[in-house]
Amino acid sequence: MQNFTFHNPTRILFGAGQIGSLRREVPQGARVLLTYGGGSIKANGVYDQVRKALEGFELLEFGGIEPNPTFEHLMKGVELARAEQADFLLAVGGGSVIDGTKFMAAAIPWHGNEWDIVSRHMAPRAALPMGTVLTLPATGSESNCFAVVTRAATQDKIAFSSPLIFPRFSILDPETTYTLSPRQIANGVVDAFVHTVEQYLTYPADAPLQDRFAEAILRTLIEEGPRTLADPTDYAARSNVMWCATMALNGLIGAGVPQDWATHTIGHELTALHGLDHAQTLAIVLPNLLWVQRTDKREKLVQYATRVWDCQDGNEAVRLEKGIIATRTFFEAMGNPTHLNAYAVGEDRFGEIVDRLQARKSLPLGERKDITSEKVLEILALAR
Amino acid sequence: MQNFTFHNPTRILFGAGQIGSLRREVPQGARVLLTYGGGSIKANGVYDQVRKALEGFELLEFGGIEPNPTFEHLMKGVELARAEQADFLLAVGGGSVIDGTKFMAAAIPWHGNEWDIVSRHMAPRAALPMGTVLTLPATGSESNCFAVVTRAATQDKIAFSSPLIFPRFSILDPETTYTLSPRQIANGVVDAFVHTVEQYLTYPADAPLQDRFAEAILRTLIEEGPRTLADPTDYAARSNVMWCATMALNGLIGAGVPQDWATHTIGHELTALHGLDHAQTLAIVLPNLLWVQRTDKREKLVQYATRVWDCQDGNEAVRLEKGIIATRTFFEAMGNPTHLNAYAVGEDRFGEIVDRLQARKSLPLGERKDITSEKVLEILALAR
């Protein structure tokens, strides 16, 4: 096991009815800026529940945060918060709303060019405290210190992190997710699955507990994902998917082990250039990346096939391939095509993706830093 | 899944050499009271490492904290801290040192009878901040808000908790544990194993991720426990046992599921009356409790036998019994006898144990509150 620091101070309040706890969790007397996305929370009643729980608090609002939240729009929220002297941010929504609100939390007290926090990874010295009400299980942003923001002008989609942007609390009420579309649920399950794989499918590191925790999340997603797609109001299934998504990216399974993240990095470019959903890009890239990297990842791929997909028969090469095929089949069954042609992305722009990765100094990628521009092109070619 | 709150703010610094991080973790200018046990940290070099890392800090010392730390001795530390105006506590040792230090942290600013914090579960309104350097993987105390303290005068061994007694940080360097005796390691493995079982072997609660996390810890302990006994300086094996012990009782696997804790409650009386090591009492009580409760726990016992012990053959009753036998065999193989006669505890004092549980209003016990005094006697009779 590698040395590590693990710290996750977010308080999770999980279960039906927990939105009522908001009035205890938000600091007394806070001037709260409520942030949200396209307004689905108004249609599904979550907005009303939140306002009711916070009766008596001073509430401001900033909506319209996009999927893949943009710096340009978020800066309007930053200016609103500064002008109105908000001192607590409450993000109500999915990963994009939460990521965008994390950026705002760091940007509001920032002196200088706020984009530097993202693009130059300059460390904030302060951030507004924030909490979340999660309405879309997927990214794990409700319980980590990461955020991804896109600059619309340049289509730069970049992750940043700071210990100051951990939410103080996150409310996870599975019932708030009943009205999500099948596509949103499928995306969430695939996102959580790939987060887990990025921290697990690398090389053995004498960390059997982390391995088994990762396998626990993967097996549970495989079991509960289709169940929750089939019956959106099955409380148990929705709860389990929600808890898996949080556990997939709260730092736990990645503690002390090598990590990959090449699938995410390549996927971000597909989203930025072609507008694909984040999870769609992961479903496209991952199976092909695993195949291209099958020699590097051989030991863990065999373990994955055996323990997660119960591939017991055949030699290692056979089982390894079965595991990759099972992954692809699972994504497809959840409703996420795994080929670029399903999204009308042609190969004429593969070069542009590599150029952008190079310009950002992101290459080489992977846990061994051996995914070069040639390998990225090979992965994309397989993904046609 | 049941509703739950999960919150664990302790920062974990894991790995060889992490004691050097102390000078960044302890607040600048703090007046530190270093607490420890019988002095093993002086023999194995940990004491010197800690003092070196904290050069320049004002350091006070309070040693001699016993296994099963006593209120009477701890109060001397409380008085020392008050007189010397210590403002940070650093526990260096195992679960007893950490538990004792947690009590001190709450007792130092307490006005009134300090024993009330334990016996009457009165909630502290303040506590001194504390950190730990863990030298014995077992109790999980390094990353939770629980502590067990014994009043020597009455032999009351009682658990209490407060969110204020979470350590701010805990340093887990597996190399500090190389000098532990086989008995200490065996106790630690059994303790972590039984902590996991208390939160897992109850009844199904639609919580497959929590189940699989618990099974992950149990399987890893079964694999790594004998390995670390055989070679105390195998860094990987010792690391894995250490991380399992933390994960077994940091709130994670117990979130949203029913919990038992009857084995611990009965075991505490055996320690208080007969001086057995905590883990020895668990090894004695658990297999017999599982047998007595085999109808209540049937579904989870079968799952446990199948998934943790790979009992695939035979009907449910057969597998269930095999799982219980495997548990007993594992404890014995680790060096923990599972019968009271191995510790010269006779049945003449079984009644006293039940009387004490009744006096403390602890009965009935278990996740269904159906372990009555009769069942406790049945468990003890089987344990002869």
Side-chain angles (χ1 to χ4, degrees):
Chain A
M1 202 185 308
Q2 301 169 355
N3 280 12
F4 65 84
T5 298
F6 175 72
H7 183 225
N8 191 324
T10 301
R11 176 199 302 272
I12 305 284
L13 296 100
F14 193 102
Q18 291 278 23
I19 290 175
S21 312
L22 268 178
R23 59 182 310 106
R24 286 196 309 276
E25 295 296 323
V26 174
Q28 284 306 309
R31 200 166 156 79
V32 181
L33 178 57
L34 183 70
T35 61
Y36 54 93
S40 61
I41 61 165
K42 292 192 177 167
N44 67 10
V46 172
Y47 176 86
D48 290 335
Q49 284 186 60
V50 169
R51 288 209 72 111
K52 178 146 186 275
L54 291 179
E55 262 171 24
F57 282 81
E58 287 191 89
L59 273 188
L60 308 156
E61 286 190 23
F62 177 67
I65 298 178
E66 317 94 321
N68 306 303
T70 65
F71 169 73
E72 287 84 347
H73 182 65
L74 295 171
M75 281 306 298
K76 293 179 195 159
V78 168
E79 278 148 28
L80 174 69
R82 286 173 181 162
E84 298 286 342
Q85 300 190 296
D87 54 19
F88 193 89
L89 304 181
L90 180 64
V92 182
S96 292
V97 171
I98 298 172
D99 278 14
T101 306
K102 285 175 169 175
F103 169 75
M104 289 169 55
I108 291 164
W110 181 259
H111 300 287
N113 180 349
E114 294 85 357
W115 183 242
D116 287 344
I117 300 169
V118 182
S119 65
R120 299 175 64 193
H121 296 287
M122 289 177 68
R125 275 187 296 270
L128 246 62
M130 63 175 281
T132 89
V133 176
L134 180 68
T135 61
L136 199 169
T139 71
S141 185
E142 67 278 7
S143 184
N144 66 37
C145 61
F146 308 110
V148 183
V149 174
T150 298
R151 183 143 195 168
T154 55
Q155 284 305 313
D156 284 320
K157 182 176 176 180
I158 307 176
F160 76 101
S161 77
S162 160
L164 297 173
I165 60 173
F166 269 111
R168 302 294 172 97
F169 65 83
S170 284
I171 292 179
L172 280 62
D173 175 350
E175 292 184 347
T176 66
T177 74
Y178 284 175
T179 51
L180 292 170
S181 68
R183 174 168 158 183
Q184 288 172 307
I185 285 296
N187 279 345
V189 170
V190 170
D191 198 19
F193 194 96
V194 180
H195 287 160
T196 308
V197 167
E198 297 268 31
Q199 301 164 84
Y200 162 70
L201 257 174
T202 57
Y203 52 82
D206 269 324
L209 185 63
Q210 289 90 326
D211 278 4
R212 290 192 174 103
F213 277 2
E215 290 154 1
I217 296 171
L218 297 175
R219 287 194 74 115
T220 305
L221 288 169
I222 291 164
E223 188 176 88
E224 305 288 320
R227 195 173 146 204
T228 199
L229 262 190
D231 182 358
T233 62
D234 176 336
Y235 182 82
R238 197 53 61 100
S239 302
N240 292 323
V241 165
M242 202 167 199
W243 194 223
C244 279
T246 300
M247 284 292 139
L249 200 52
N250 69 350
L252 182 72
I253 60 171
V257 298
Q259 304 193 16
D260 184 339
W261 297 107
T263 295
H264 270 73
T265 308
I266 300 169
H268 283 178
E269 299 304 329
L270 285 168
T271 295
L273 287 177
H274 300 285
L276 272 61
D277 294 351
H278 173 57
Q280 292 173 335
T281 73
L282 305 177
I284 292 164
V285 175
L286 183 71
N288 302 297
L289 179 138
L290 294 179
W291 182 250
V292 169
Q293 293 296 93
R294 66 190 179 282
T295 306
D296 270 21
K297 292 180 184 289
R298 189 183 57 78
E299 285 175 87
K300 291 300 281 285
L301 270 170
V302 172
Q303 179 179 322
Y304 166 70
T306 311
R307 293 194 190 172
V308 175
W309 292 106
D310 290 325
C311 300
Q312 310 291 345
D313 301 325
N315 63 26
E316 287 196 353
V318 169
R319 279 185 283 155
L320 177 158
E321 192 169 351
K322 279 186 184 169
I324 296 176
I325 293 169
T327 309
R328 186 187 292 281
T329 307
F330 174 61
F331 293 165
E332 297 268 355
M334 288 298 295
N336 283 82
T338 60
H339 288 283
L340 283 164
N341 60 18
Y343 306 95
V345 175
E347 62 195 289
D348 51 314
R349 294 183 72 184
F350 289 177
E352 196 176 348
I353 290 174
V354 171
D355 290 346
R356 290 168 59 95
L357 290 170
Q358 270 171 336
R360 217 188 296 298
K361 299 193 170 75
S362 296
L363 298 176
L365 293 164
E367 69 274 11
R368 300 187 207 254
K369 298 283 167 225
D370 64 354
I371 300 182
T372 56
S373 55
E374 291 74 24
K375 281 196 174 177
V376 173
L377 288 171
E378 191 183 344
I379 291 163
L380 291 170
L382 281 172
R384 280 177 300 190
Chain B
M1 201 184 309
Q2 302 170 353
N3 279 13
F4 65 84
T5 298
F6 175 72
H7 183 224
N8 191 323
T10 301
R11 177 198 301 272
I12 305 284
L13 297 99
F14 192 101
Q18 290 279 23
I19 290 176
S21 312
L22 267 178
R23 59 183 308 105
R24 287 196 309 275
E25 296 296 324
V26 174
Q28 285 305 308
R31 199 165 158 80
V32 181
L33 177 58
L34 183 71
T35 61
Y36 53 93
S40 62
I41 61 165
K42 292 191 175 167
N44 67 11
V46 172
Y47 175 87
D48 291 335
Q49 285 185 61
V50 168
R51 289 208 71 112
K52 179 145 184 277
L54 291 179
E55 261 171 26
F57 282 81
E58 288 191 87
L59 275 188
L60 306 157
E61 287 189 22
F62 177 67
I65 298 178
E66 318 94 321
N68 306 304
T70 64
F71 168 75
E72 287 84 347
H73 182 66
L74 295 170
M75 281 307 297
K76 293 180 196 161
V78 169
E79 280 149 28
L80 172 69
R82 286 174 180 161
E84 299 286 344
Q85 300 189 297
D87 54 19
F88 193 90
L89 305 181
L90 180 64
V92 183
S96 293
V97 171
I98 297 172
D99 278 12
T101 306
K102 285 174 169 175
F103 169 75
M104 289 170 55
I108 291 164
W110 183 260
H111 300 287
N113 180 350
E114 295 84 358
W115 183 241
D116 286 343
I117 301 170
V118 182
S119 65
R120 299 177 62 193
H121 296 285
M122 288 177 70
R125 274 187 295 270
L128 247 62
M130 63 176 281
T132 89
V133 176
L134 180 69
T135 61
L136 199 169
T139 70
S141 186
E142 66 278 8
S143 184
N144 66 36
C145 61
F146 309 109
V148 183
V149 174
T150 299
R151 183 143 195 167
T154 54
Q155 283 307 310
D156 284 319
K157 182 176 176 181
I158 307 177
F160 75 102
S161 78
S162 160
L164 298 172
I165 59 173
F166 270 111
R168 302 293 173 101
F169 65 83
S170 283
I171 292 177
L172 280 63
D173 176 350
E175 291 185 349
T176 65
T177 73
Y178 284 176
T179 50
L180 291 171
S181 68
R183 173 169 159 183
Q184 287 172 307
I185 286 296
N187 279 345
V189 169
V190 170
D191 197 19
F193 194 96
V194 180
H195 287 159
T196 308
V197 167
E198 298 267 31
Q199 299 165 85
Y200 163 71
L201 257 175
T202 57
Y203 51 83
D206 268 324
L209 186 63
Q210 289 89 326
D211 278 5
R212 289 193 174 101
F213 277 2
E215 290 155 4
I217 297 171
L218 297 174
R219 287 194 75 115
T220 305
L221 287 169
I222 290 164
E223 187 177 270
E224 304 287 322
R227 196 173 144 204
T228 200
L229 261 191
D231 180 359
T233 63
D234 177 336
Y235 181 81
R238 196 53 62 101
S239 301
N240 292 325
V241 165
M242 202 166 199
W243 194 223
C244 279
T246 300
M247 285 292 139
L249 200 51
N250 68 351
L252 182 72
I253 60 171
V257 298
Q259 304 193 17
D260 183 339
W261 297 107
T263 296
H264 270 72
T265 307
I266 299 169
H268 284 178
E269 299 303 329
L270 285 168
T271 295
L273 286 177
H274 300 286
L276 272 61
D277 295 349
H278 173 56
Q280 292 173 335
T281 72
L282 305 178
I284 292 164
V285 175
L286 182 72
N288 302 298
L289 179 137
L290 293 180
W291 181 249
V292 169
Q293 293 297 90
R294 66 191 180 282
T295 305
D296 271 19
K297 292 180 185 287
R298 189 183 57 79
E299 285 175 85
K300 291 300 283 285
L301 270 170
V302 172
Q303 178 179 325
Y304 166 71
T306 310
R307 293 194 189 173
V308 175
W309 292 107
D310 290 324
C311 300
Q312 310 292 347
D313 302 325
N315 63 25
E316 287 196 353
V318 168
R319 280 186 284 154
L320 178 158
E321 189 167 355
K322 278 186 184 170
I324 297 175
I325 292 169
T327 310
R328 185 187 293 282
T329 307
F330 174 62
F331 293 165
E332 297 268 355
M334 288 296 296
N336 283 82
T338 60
H339 289 281
L340 283 163
N341 61 17
Y343 306 95
V345 175
E347 61 194 289
D348 51 314
R349 293 184 70 185
F350 289 176
E352 195 175 348
I353 289 173
V354 171
D355 291 345
R356 290 168 60 94
L357 290 171
Q358 270 170 335
R360 218 187 295 302
K361 300 191 169 74
S362 297
L363 296 177
L365 292 164
E367 68 275 12
R368 299 186 206 254
K369 298 284 168 226
D370 65 353
I371 301 183
T372 56
S373 55
E374 290 73 24
K375 280 196 174 177
V376 173
L377 288 172
E378 191 183 345
I379 291 163
L380 292 170
L382 281 172
R384 280 177 298 191

